[in-house]
Amino acid sequence: MNSMTAVLGENNLPKIEPSQIYSEAVKVMKPEEIDHHGNGHGMDDLYLKITPESMNLIKRLTTRELVSTFRSEIDGSKWYDLPFCYPVIDKVEDF
């Protein structure tokens, strides 16, 4: 692996840290495809609906060990669960 491979993910796009995935998701995904769960006082879990855009984001992550999937009990769609990846900010709209 050369040094360029270490900084580029699939499709030659830059790799992203788990802490950056929310800000990347809001750039390429619809708001209804992004959700979170937690108490709002710490790093909540980030949920991304499984779409071509979210699959590309997951492929670019520097670490994927904690990423899991689940099926929505509401509509049966599949989602990624990214523990502690929803940012702690006063207003999510700031992103």
Side-chain angles (χ1 to χ4, degrees):
M1 175 184 296
N2 63 38
S3 62
M4 187 57 85
T5 306
V7 295
L8 294 177
E10 296 189 24
N11 301 325
N12 289 327
L13 294 171
K15 287 194 173 206
I16 52 177
E17 296 291 328
S19 62
Q20 299 169 311
I21 194 162
Y22 176 79
S23 62
E24 293 295 317
V26 297
K27 294 176 188 176
V28 299
M29 297 180 70
K30 298 174 186 173
E32 62 269 18
E33 298 172 338
I34 303 169
D35 204 352
H36 69 98
H37 179 74
N39 62 16
H41 300 291
M43 292 295 282
D44 293 354
D45 292 352
L46 174 65
Y47 301 148
L48 299 178
K49 189 171 188 175
I50 296 180
T51 65
E53 293 81 10
S54 66
M55 288 189 290
N56 285 330
L57 290 173
I58 297 298
K59 288 177 185 177
R60 292 174 52 203
L61 277 175
T62 56
T63 180
R64 299 180 212 161
E65 288 80 15
L66 296 177
V67 178
S68 62
T69 61
F70 67 94
R71 187 169 300 278
S72 168
E73 294 181 9
I74 297 170
D75 66 3
S77 60
K78 290 188 77 176
W79 292 73
Y80 289 113
D81 180 358
L82 295 102
F84 311 114
C85 288
Y86 188 78
V88 178
I89 50 179
D90 291 331
K91 293 182 182 177
V92 173
E93 295 82 22
D94 291 343
F95 271 88

